[in-house]
Amino acid sequence: WSSDVCSSDLNLNHLRNHGAAQTAIGEITSYVLPDHTNMTVAANSVVEVDFSERKRTIHLNRGEVYLDVEHDREHPFVIAVGGDHEVVVTGTKLNVNFDASRNAVEVAVLEGRINVNRHTAQPESQEMTAGEVILFPESGAPERRNLTPEQAASWRVRQLYFDDARLPEILTEINQIG
């Protein structure tokens, strides 16, 4: 587990199959999932865990999550985001941010390789590797970001970085961390 996590997060909670994690404004909470994956949930976020012997799935319904996914090639780890996106990994470190108001998903890969699938009228898949940050807007092509993955996941230590953001977006982010 990374030593740059807030000290209040070192007492990890264990989140069981079919459990839910919801954080308030200003709250950051860390969990150990049934497969020993470490998950840190950002402020004002909602994540549901749906694990079984055959699948490892979480649903990011709102907000942001950082994952240090336990490697298991036989059982890919799936992050279902909104209604259209699915991030598929077998073991890696990544950050996923879902802006429900814009139906946009930003994915940052710190280690490993992942696939981001979009289930729309024209399904598409985007492979990402360590060092990449990509924004998947509601419509249109994915956009590479100027942020590093470490900057995208820096909310865990209450630091924020912005790439071509408008003032209302910046204020929303600042208000969420409390």
Side-chain angles (χ1 to χ4, degrees):
W1 184 247
S2 175
S3 63
D4 61 349
V5 175
C6 298
S7 61
S8 64
D9 292 338
L10 294 177
N11 295 323
L12 300 176
N13 298 309
H14 289 275
L15 197 58
R16 301 189 188 288
N17 301 348
H18 310 291
Q22 182 168 350
T23 54
I25 291 174
E27 178 185 15
I28 297 173
T29 305
S30 293
Y31 299 91
V32 176
L33 300 180
D35 69 341
H36 305 292
T37 288
N38 290 302
M39 176 176 78
T40 304
V41 181
N44 199 24
S45 297
V46 177
V47 180
E48 294 177 41
V49 176
D50 185 12
F51 274 49
S52 69
E53 287 186 26
R54 295 188 177 173
K55 70 175 183 175
R56 303 186 297 164
T57 302
I58 66 167
H59 301 269
L60 179 57
N61 298 327
R62 180 181 73 222
E64 194 162 6
V65 64
Y66 174 85
L67 296 152
D68 185 347
V69 177
E70 188 71 21
H71 184 78
D72 184 347
R73 191 172 294 285
E74 299 294 316
H75 303 96
F77 191 101
V78 176
I79 303 119
V81 186
D84 300 338
H85 294 85
E86 181 179 84
V87 180
V88 181
V89 303
T90 56
T92 189
K93 292 182 182 179
L94 73 155
N95 192 78
V96 182
N97 185 354
F98 176 47
D99 182 345
S101 66
R102 298 185 307 148
N103 198 27
V105 177
E106 181 181 80
V107 180
V109 182
L110 285 81
E111 287 182 11
R113 179 182 310 258
I114 68 167
N115 285 313
V116 179
N117 303 317
R118 183 184 241 165
H119 303 291
T120 58
Q122 294 183 341
E124 59 185 287
S125 183
Q126 173 83 40
E127 185 175 327
M128 294 178 64
T129 58
E132 291 185 297
V133 180
I134 299 179
L135 175 68
F136 297 88
E138 182 173 24
S139 60
E143 303 168 13
R144 298 219 179 264
R145 308 293 278 191
N146 292 324
L147 298 173
T148 67
E150 293 78 16
Q151 289 171 326
S154 66
W155 56 266
R156 297 179 306 134
V157 292
R158 301 196 182 275
Q159 293 179 352
L160 299 175
Y161 292 87
F162 298 95
D163 176 31
D164 196 29
R166 295 187 177 112
L167 184 58
E169 295 169 41
I170 294 169
L171 293 175
T172 298
E173 289 291 320
I174 290 170
N175 286 332
Q176 292 206 25
I177 62 170

